[in-house]
Amino acid sequence: MTERMVDESLVRDTLRAVAAATPVSEHTPSATRPGRRPRPPRRAALAVAACVVVVAGLAAVAASRGEGGDQHVQVTSPASPAVPSGYDVATATPVFSADGMPDEVAEAYLRARFPDHPAPDIRREPARVDGERATVNWSTGDDEAHRIAKGELVLRRTANRWAVITSTTGEVDVSGLTYDGTRVRGVVRSTSDNSLFADVLDWKGDPVRGAPRPEGQPGAAYRYGTAAGPAKQSLEIDVPAPSQPAVVRVYLVGGTILSVSELRFEPPPLAAHADTDGCMHANVTEKKDPTDDVVLRRCLAALRGTIVASGTVADRAWELVSSEEPAGHWMSLRARDLVGTYRLQPGSGLRGTDAKTSPFLELGACCAAGDSIIVVGAVHPDVRTVRFALRDGNLDIATRQAEGLSYAVAVMPQKVQAEGDVAVSVQYADGTWSGTVTRLSLAVLGG
């Protein structure tokens, strides 16, 4: 192996860069970072030890020095590797979304994924937007001479917002990963001297049930490495994730998270059907892996029926579906990664009643999706509009009629839960408005 020479000034610069990239404060609040655990004592000692790893990685890029003492450092950064075979960024499920334009969403993603942000000197270039797609280059390291890693975020306009579809790292090749609907397998390769770790997470961002180390790397200040690691240059992943979304994150680590590669795999869709109970019976396992809520969402996604109403919530679409099933007539709300359930058998509904005395068969905050909550109302057919009096203005939802009832689906940001009960009024078929007919609690989900 060719000997690489690094002078004392480079070592000092590197140690300062890594020390700055590794906070030692014991007062950093951990509750604001999902999955974060309290920092262990002697953090400063651990940070100094970690410097050795990063120094080795940075020394590898010191190619030559001029005789006059000027430092000439050559950094080689391979192009972002190909994504796994069959993974299509044009249709893949997002791994992150937020309000705002691509630059704002990319910044929010980097803050969410690098737990010591802005360490280790995370930098982001302006987004390059092409229609409904955008790419953002990111890097870690305090300057080009001390670059640790480079990567790219791929964003796509989906539903009503921009979302990060995948993050790649030039020094990390994830193209060897596969998911067959049962296990996430493959070998990740790296050209970096820093340590490789990996997580395989469920749709909520928690380690899948089959994760070999669900607590992550022992002694770390935050949870990572639940699926594999540490390793150098080559990391093997083999984790069961049967019939469920599987989010894979691969990290370079040296005192802190130095890079993140991320993508989401989806299981094969279920066959189309018209029997939700039968679908659940066929797909719920004794081990409850996947959990019943995941199975229900998959069954509802494959349910044949009539779409009564549809719209968008965060980075996904929602649909209210009318279906005739062996168990009777059902109205169901479906959306990707929906928390909570709306399934109603309307029966005879409100037939023979007066809208001014019985405007609702049912009204409630049933579900959450991303950073929004969803309120669904089954209302009298003579109700034209349902109005929610929010602090920043009224939210008016036009009703959709189906099988003798009308339905209203309202999407609201979760922050409205802090407003307490919300006054609800309705507009009748003759155009007149009621006063407040009920006050609706948004603080607790439950249809």
Side-chain angles (χ1 to χ4, degrees):
M1 179 179 295
T2 302
E3 183 177 1
R4 297 179 174 88
M5 302 298 295
V6 182
D7 72 354
E8 292 181 0
S9 64
L10 175 58
V11 173
R12 286 196 299 270
D13 290 346
T14 302
L15 289 174
R16 282 196 295 268
V18 176
T22 312
V24 298
S25 171
E26 297 297 330
H27 303 290
T28 302
S30 61
T32 60
R33 295 173 180 165
R36 189 177 174 98
R37 298 202 301 267
R39 294 180 182 270
R42 301 177 63 190
R43 173 70 166 164
L46 292 175
V48 171
C51 289
V52 177
V53 177
V54 181
V55 168
L58 294 176
V61 301
S64 64
R65 292 179 54 84
E67 292 184 1
D70 293 335
Q71 181 177 305
H72 300 282
V73 179
Q74 182 178 5
V75 178
T76 58
S77 178
S80 296
V83 293
S85 176
Y87 181 87
D88 186 358
V89 296
T91 57
T93 304
V95 297
F96 179 88
S97 72
D99 288 331
M101 299 302 291
D103 285 312
E104 297 169 293
V105 175
E107 181 66 20
Y109 174 84
L110 295 173
R111 288 180 179 275
R113 292 299 185 264
F114 286 86
D116 291 322
H117 190 283
D121 293 297
I122 300 165
R123 303 187 181 197
R124 172 183 57 81
E125 295 180 8
R128 305 181 302 280
V129 181
D130 183 8
E132 299 293 290
R133 293 272 293 275
T135 54
V136 175
N137 289 340
W138 59 265
S139 64
T140 54
D142 58 358
D143 55 36
E144 188 64 31
H146 299 94
R147 187 72 67 230
I148 300 170
K150 291 183 177 181
E152 182 181 79
L153 304 182
V154 177
L155 296 90
R156 192 178 75 233
R157 180 79 179 177
T158 176
N160 63 350
R161 58 166 47 171
W162 285 93
V164 175
I165 306 303
T166 185
S167 174
T168 60
T169 302
E171 294 78 7
V172 178
D173 185 350
V174 298
S175 63
L177 295 177
T178 64
Y179 177 57
D180 60 2
T182 302
R183 305 182 76 88
V184 175
R185 291 190 178 99
V187 177
V188 175
R189 304 191 185 280
S190 169
T191 60
S192 170
D193 286 334
N194 291 294
S195 295
L196 280 169
F197 289 85
D199 290 327
V200 177
L201 310 171
D202 64 16
W203 64 279
K204 301 186 300 296
D206 296 325
V208 295
R209 185 172 298 183
R213 301 191 313 172
E215 294 302 314
Q217 179 69 359
Y222 28 80
R223 186 169 62 185
Y224 63 86
T226 60
K232 295 292 184 69
Q233 279 77 56
S234 179
L235 178 68
E236 184 174 358
I237 299 175
D238 187 1
V239 177
S243 303
Q244 59 192 286
V247 177
V248 182
R249 293 182 194 159
V250 177
Y251 314 91
L252 289 173
V253 179
T256 184
I257 300 296
L258 304 175
S259 79
V260 177
S261 301
E262 183 173 13
L263 54 86
R264 170 168 163 161
F265 290 113
E266 295 290 342
L270 297 176
H273 65 90
D275 183 2
T276 304
D277 289 345
C279 179
M280 292 288 293
H281 180 75
N283 289 282
V284 170
T285 66
E286 184 176 348
K287 293 182 179 180
K288 300 291 185 180
D289 190 15
T291 54
D292 289 2
D293 61 313
V294 173
V295 177
L296 177 59
R297 284 195 294 274
R298 298 189 68 211
C299 286
L300 291 180
L303 178 64
R304 290 194 297 262
T306 301
I307 298 175
V308 174
S310 62
T312 59
V313 51
D315 59 355
R316 67 210 76 178
W318 61 262
E319 294 176 333
L320 188 64
V321 182
S322 172
S323 58
E324 295 295 337
E325 307 182 36
H329 173 222
W330 288 89
M331 297 296 297
S332 306
L333 183 72
R334 63 186 180 192
R336 172 173 54 82
D337 297 344
L338 194 66
V339 178
T341 304
Y342 183 83
R343 287 265 289 167
L344 174 68
Q345 284 190 292
S348 59
L350 294 168
R351 293 172 191 163
T353 63
D354 184 349
K356 295 187 177 182
T357 57
S358 302
F360 299 107
L361 175 66
E362 182 179 76
L363 177 70
C366 72
C367 316
D371 52 8
S372 299
I373 61 172
I374 303 176
V375 175
V376 183
V379 303
H380 197 285
D382 288 338
V383 170
R384 179 186 297 176
T385 308
V386 179
R387 171 173 289 175
F388 301 89
L390 304 178
R391 186 173 297 165
D392 57 357
N394 294 328
L395 175 62
D396 289 352
I397 303 298
T399 60
R400 303 285 186 89
Q401 288 203 4
E403 293 94 19
L405 275 178
S406 291
Y407 295 87
V409 181
V411 176
M412 309 178 193
Q414 283 190 338
K415 64 182 181 181
V416 302
Q417 292 177 332
E419 298 180 14
D421 293 352
V422 171
V424 181
S425 56
V426 299
Q427 183 185 37
Y428 303 113
D430 62 8
T432 61
W433 283 90
S434 72
T436 299
V437 294
T438 188
R439 296 193 65 87
L440 179 67
S441 173
L442 303 177
V444 179
L445 296 177

